[in-house]
Amino acid sequence: MNLKNKIVIITGAGSGIGAATAKLFGTHGATIIVSDIHLENAKKTVSEIRTVGGKAEAMETDVTHFKAVEDLIAETVAKHGHLDVMVNNAGIGGKKQLKTAEHSHEDWHNVIAVNQTGVFYCMQVALKQMTDQGFGNIVNVASLAGLKASGNNLSYSASKYAVVGMTKSAALEYGRKKIRINAVCPGFTRSALLDQLLTSSPTIEDKLKRMIPMGRFGEAGEIAEAICWLASDNSKFITGQTITLDGGTSL
């Protein structure tokens, strides 16, 4: 994959898919701005990238605050001159798995703020910069829950459907500006979100694996491979697409 010397921002890169993606970009010679709401987690990812010879720096960012997103991108451009790739990965799940009528308003507002509004803020600021510089690439991390029904999970599902819609709409708008915008839609993937789900019932892990034709959960590194490919010049005729990585669950 051709990613050498690209300037890349990844939100939520202190753990899980974001951290795996940052490390993979690092092995391909990119410079990664590791953004996370938890600065210590971001610093840990940076340390791991630098240990193997990669280039990275940490920035604390709460994507639910527009000014924080503006600062993240402005500081990156001030230091590096431009922004090649924006990976919008920061995301959370609800605290409670409840049907729609019982769905917590707290979960609704929190999940929508991070997963939907946060992605919108990051896309909006990144697109202004990329339009000015004349090129760019955005990869959004959506979910299988943004492509098919997901019970007891309304706010998460709504937010991820929104990410898919925003990806396609913006890709249509900016295709002639040399800006590509795509999304990945992971199924059940080992991460903090999956761990949270697995603790809800002692039998849920076996139930979930029975739903997956490949019989296992995805690994963060497998999702990272798709993100890096979409961000690379190897996929330069692809925009407005969603790549589903779910071990066949959607079948």
Side-chain angles (χ1 to χ4, degrees), residues 12-24:
S15 62
I17 291 170
T21 303
K23 293 171 192 176
L24 186 57

Side-chain angles (χ1 to χ4, degrees), residues 40-208:
E40 289 308 310
N41 289 351
K43 288 180 176 178
K44 181 183 176 187
T45 300
V46 167
S47 176
E48 292 173 354
I49 293 169
R50 290 177 176 172
T51 296
V52 295
K55 296 172 287 185
E57 55 203 65
M59 287 192 66
E60 181 178 1
T61 312
D62 182 345
V63 297
T64 68
H65 294 288
F66 186 70
K67 179 64 165 58
V69 173
E70 284 187 311
D71 290 346
L72 168 66
I73 293 175
E75 289 181 31
T76 298
V77 173
K79 183 170 183 178
H80 300 284
H82 64 279
L83 173 62
D84 292 291
V85 180
M86 182 86 199
V87 179
N88 295 315
N89 167 75
I92 62 171
K95 293 180 180 178
K96 300 176 182 178
Q97 302 291 306
L98 298 169
K99 291 182 180 178
T100 300
E102 289 78 40
H103 195 84
S104 148
H105 286 196
E106 178 186 14
D107 274 351
W108 175 267
H109 291 298
N110 290 342
V111 171
I112 294 297
V114 177
N115 297 8
Q116 182 172 335
T117 305
V119 170
F120 165 59
Y121 286 167
C122 289
M123 287 180 67
Q124 187 173 61
V125 181
L127 283 167
K128 288 177 182 178
Q129 170 59 33
M130 291 173 176
T131 299
D132 288 344
Q133 67 191 25
F135 61 90
N137 192 320
I138 296 174
V139 182
N140 295 323
V141 179
S143 170
L144 181 60
L147 298 174
K148 63 184 293 293
S150 179
N152 301 328
N153 208 14
L154 187 73
S155 56
Y156 187 79
S157 182
S159 70
K160 293 303 186 178
Y161 266 94
V163 171
V164 170
M166 290 190 289
T167 298
K168 291 180 177 293
S169 294
L172 178 65
E173 295 169 347
Y174 289 90
R176 294 186 185 276
K177 300 290 186 180
K178 297 183 180 179
I179 301 170
R180 296 194 295 115
I181 307 163
N182 294 287
V184 294
C185 292
F188 297 109
T189 303
R190 293 197 179 279
S191 64
L193 283 178
L194 180 61
D195 291 342
Q196 179 183 333
L197 181 60
L198 295 180
T199 59
S200 65
S201 165
T203 62
I204 195 167
E205 181 168 353
D206 289 338
K207 288 179 180 177
L208 292 178

